[in-house]
Coordinates of all heavy atoms in Angstrom, one line a residue:
P72 N 6.7 2.3 -5.1 CA 7.6 3.0 -6.0 C 8.9 3.3 -5.3 O 10.0 3.2 -5.9 CB 6.8 4.3 -6.3 CG 5.4 3.9 -6.2 CD 5.3 2.9 -5.1
E73 N 8.9 3.7 -4.0 CA 10.1 4.0 -3.3 C 11.0 2.7 -3.1 O 12.2 2.8 -3.3 CB 9.8 4.6 -1.9 CG 11.0 5.0 -1.1 CD 10.7 5.7 0.2 OE1 9.5 6.1 0.4 OE2 11.5 5.8 1.1
R74 N 10.3 1.6 -2.8 CA 11.1 0.4 -2.7 C 11.7 -0.1 -4.0 O 12.8 -0.7 -4.0 CB 10.2 -0.7 -2.1 CG 9.8 -0.5 -0.6 CD 9.1 -1.7 0.0 NE 8.9 -1.5 1.4 CZ 8.7 -2.5 2.2 NH1 8.7 -3.8 1.8 NH2 8.4 -2.3 3.5
W75 N 10.9 0.2 -5.1 CA 11.5 -0.2 -6.4 C 12.7 0.6 -6.7 O 13.8 0.0 -7.1 CB 10.4 0.1 -7.5 CG 10.8 -0.1 -8.9 CD1 11.5 0.7 -9.7 CD2 10.7 -1.4 -9.6 NE1 11.7 0.2 -10.9 CE2 11.3 -1.1 -10.9 CE3 10.2 -2.6 -9.3 CZ2 11.3 -2.1 -11.9 CZ3 10.2 -3.6 -10.3 CH2 10.8 -3.3 -11.6
V76 N 12.7 1.9 -6.5 CA 13.8 2.8 -6.7 C 15.0 2.4 -5.8 O 16.2 2.3 -6.3 CB 13.5 4.2 -6.5 CG1 14.7 5.1 -6.5 CG2 12.5 4.7 -7.6
A77 N 14.7 2.0 -4.6 CA 15.8 1.5 -3.7 C 16.4 0.2 -4.1 O 17.5 -0.2 -3.6 CB 15.3 1.5 -2.3
G78 N 15.6 -0.6 -4.9 CA 16.1 -1.9 -5.3 C 16.0 -3.0 -4.3 O 16.7 -4.0 -4.3
T79 N 15.1 -2.8 -3.3 CA 15.0 -3.7 -2.2 C 13.8 -4.7 -2.3 O 13.9 -5.8 -1.9 CB 14.9 -3.0 -0.9 OG1 13.7 -2.1 -0.9 CG2 16.1 -2.2 -0.6
D80 N 12.7 -4.2 -2.8 CA 11.4 -5.0 -2.9 C 10.6 -4.5 -4.1 O 10.7 -3.3 -4.5 CB 10.6 -4.8 -1.6 CG 11.4 -5.2 -0.4 OD1 11.4 -6.4 0.0 OD2 12.0 -4.3 0.2
A81 N 9.7 -5.4 -4.6 CA 8.8 -5.0 -5.6 C 7.5 -5.8 -5.5 O 7.5 -6.9 -5.0 CB 9.4 -5.3 -7.0
S82 N 6.4 -5.2 -5.9 CA 5.1 -5.9 -5.7 C 4.2 -5.5 -6.9 O 4.3 -4.4 -7.4 CB 4.4 -5.5 -4.4 OG 3.2 -6.2 -4.3
W83 N 3.5 -6.5 -7.4 CA 2.5 -6.3 -8.5 C 1.1 -6.7 -8.0 O 1.0 -7.7 -7.3 CB 2.9 -7.2 -9.7 CG 4.0 -6.7 -10.5 CD1 4.0 -6.0 -11.7 CD2 5.4 -6.9 -10.2 NE1 5.2 -5.8 -12.2 CE2 6.2 -6.3 -11.3 CE3 6.2 -7.5 -9.2 CZ2 7.5 -6.3 -11.4 CZ3 7.5 -7.5 -9.2 CH2 8.2 -6.9 -10.3
A84 N 0.1 -6.0 -8.5 CA -1.3 -6.5 -8.4 C -1.5 -7.5 -9.5 O -1.2 -7.2 -10.6 CB -2.2 -5.3 -8.5
V85 N -2.1 -8.6 -9.1 CA -2.5 -9.6 -10.1 C -3.9 -9.3 -10.5 O -4.9 -9.4 -9.7 CB -2.4 -11.0 -9.6 CG1 -2.7 -12.0 -10.7 CG2 -1.0 -11.3 -9.0
V86 N -4.2 -8.9 -11.8 CA -5.5 -8.4 -12.2 C -6.0 -9.1 -13.4 O -5.3 -9.7 -14.1 CB -5.4 -6.9 -12.5 CG1 -4.9 -6.0 -11.3 CG2 -4.6 -6.6 -13.7
E87 N -7.4 -9.1 -13.5 CA -8.0 -9.6 -14.7 C -7.8 -8.6 -15.8 O -7.9 -7.4 -15.6 CB -9.5 -9.8 -14.5 CG -9.9 -10.8 -13.5 CD -11.4 -10.9 -13.3 OE1 -12.0 -9.8 -13.2 OE2 -12.0 -12.0 -13.3
E88 N -7.3 -9.0 -17.0 CA -7.1 -8.1 -18.1 C -8.3 -7.3 -18.5 O -8.2 -6.1 -18.7 CB -6.5 -8.8 -19.3 CG -5.1 -9.3 -19.1 CD -4.6 -10.0 -20.4 OE1 -5.4 -10.6 -21.1 OE2 -3.4 -10.0 -20.6
R89 N -9.5 -7.9 -18.5 CA -10.7 -7.3 -18.9 C -11.2 -6.2 -17.9 O -11.5 -5.1 -18.3 CB -11.8 -8.3 -19.2 CG -11.6 -9.2 -20.4 CD -12.7 -10.2 -20.5 NE -12.7 -11.1 -19.3 CZ -13.7 -12.0 -19.1 NH1 -14.6 -12.2 -20.0 NH2 -13.6 -12.7 -18.0
S90 N -11.1 -6.5 -16.6 CA -11.7 -5.6 -15.6 C -10.7 -4.8 -14.9 O -11.0 -3.8 -14.3 CB -12.5 -6.4 -14.6 OG -11.6 -7.2 -13.8
D91 N -9.4 -5.2 -15.0 CA -8.3 -4.5 -14.2 C -8.5 -4.6 -12.7 O -8.0 -3.9 -11.9 CB -8.2 -3.1 -14.6 CG -6.8 -2.5 -14.3 OD1 -5.8 -3.2 -14.5 OD2 -6.7 -1.4 -13.7
R92 N -9.3 -5.6 -12.3 CA -9.7 -5.8 -10.9 C -8.6 -6.7 -10.2 O -8.3 -7.8 -10.7 CB -11.0 -6.5 -10.8 CG -11.5 -6.7 -9.3 CD -13.0 -7.1 -9.3 NE -13.2 -8.4 -10.0 CZ -13.3 -9.5 -9.4 NH1 -13.3 -9.6 -8.1 NH2 -13.5 -10.6 -10.1
P93 N -8.0 -6.2 -9.1 CA -7.0 -7.0 -8.4 C -7.6 -8.3 -7.8 O -8.7 -8.2 -7.2 CB -6.5 -6.1 -7.3 CG -6.8 -4.7 -7.8 CD -8.1 -4.8 -8.5
L94 N -6.9 -9.4 -8.0 CA -7.3 -10.7 -7.5 C -6.3 -11.2 -6.5 O -6.5 -12.2 -5.8 CB -7.6 -11.7 -8.6 CG -8.7 -11.3 -9.6 CD1 -8.7 -12.4 -10.7 CD2 -10.1 -11.3 -8.9
G95 N -5.1 -10.6 -6.5 CA -4.0 -11.1 -5.7 C -2.8 -10.2 -5.8 O -2.8 -9.2 -6.4
Q96 N -1.8 -10.7 -5.2 CA -0.5 -10.0 -5.1 C 0.6 -11.0 -5.4 O 0.6 -12.2 -5.0 CB -0.3 -9.4 -3.8 CG 1.0 -8.6 -3.6 CD 2.3 -9.4 -3.2 OE1 3.4 -9.1 -3.5 NE2 2.1 -10.6 -2.6
V97 N 1.7 -10.6 -6.1 CA 2.9 -11.3 -6.3 C 4.0 -10.4 -6.3 O 3.9 -9.2 -6.7 CB 2.9 -12.1 -7.6 CG1 2.9 -11.2 -8.8 CG2 4.0 -13.1 -7.7
G98 N 5.1 -10.8 -5.6 CA 6.2 -9.8 -5.5 C 7.6 -10.5 -5.2 O 7.7 -11.7 -5.1

Side-chain angles (χ1 to χ4, degrees):
E73 183 177 345
R74 290 191 175 200
W75 177 272
V76 169
T79 59
D80 303 273
S82 182
W83 284 260
V85 183
V86 302
E87 294 176 318
E88 286 182 334
R89 290 177 299 175
S90 67
D91 202 43
R92 180 170 62 101
L94 299 174
Q96 181 275 152
V97 66

